[in-house]
């Protein structure tokens, strides 16, 4: 599962970079910008899920108990 999650993160990051390149060159559309916003949330959720899985594993618990948290939760973490 962690390998799949890492793979998904890499796919999302690649798409994000492509969209940022379009933005930097002045070619981005409103749809591209909306997709960037969506990607940010999805990436935050993926990273959060990966951290949950690692923490559960380190605590001797089953990592499959981790769940994707709502966007409202992961987007309001204090850093």
């Amino acid at each position: 599962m962690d390998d799949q999650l890492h793979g998904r993160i890499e796919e999302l990051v690649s798409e994000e970079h492509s969209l940022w390149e379009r933005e930097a060159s002045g070619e981005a559309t409103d749809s591209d910008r909306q997709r960037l916003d969506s990607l940010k949330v999805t990436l935050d959720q993926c990273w959060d899920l990966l951290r949950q899985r690692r923490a559960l594993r380190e605590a001797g618990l089953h990592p499959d108990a981790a769940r994707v948290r709502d966007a409202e939760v992961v987007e309001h973490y204090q850093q």
Side-chain angles (χ1 to χ4, degrees):
M1 173 72 173
D2 288 1
D3 289 340
Q4 290 175 332
L5 198 48
H6 277 285
R8 180 69 177 137
I9 289 169
E10 288 176 17
E11 291 171 3
L12 293 170
V13 167
S14 177
E15 182 181 356
E16 182 184 46
H17 286 190
S18 295
L19 289 170
W20 276 119
E21 287 175 9
R22 289 176 59 84
E23 181 70 33
S25 68
E27 299 174 6
T29 64
D30 286 341
S31 177
D32 292 335
R33 290 181 193 94
Q34 288 175 346
R35 179 63 181 150
L36 273 169
D37 289 341
S38 175
L39 282 171
K40 178 186 178 297
V41 173
T42 303
L43 277 166
D44 287 346
Q45 288 174 312
C46 287
W47 282 115
D48 176 68
L49 181 59
L50 189 59
R51 284 189 294 271
Q52 285 183 64
R53 291 180 56 79
R54 287 180 180 164
L56 287 166
R57 190 176 295 110
E58 288 173 6
L61 302 171
H62 201 286
D64 287 345
R67 297 287 176 250
V68 175
R69 297 182 217 224
D70 290 336
E72 293 79 27
V73 172
V74 298
E75 291 304 296
H76 291 99
Y77 283 150
Q78 299 259 335
Q79 303 230 356

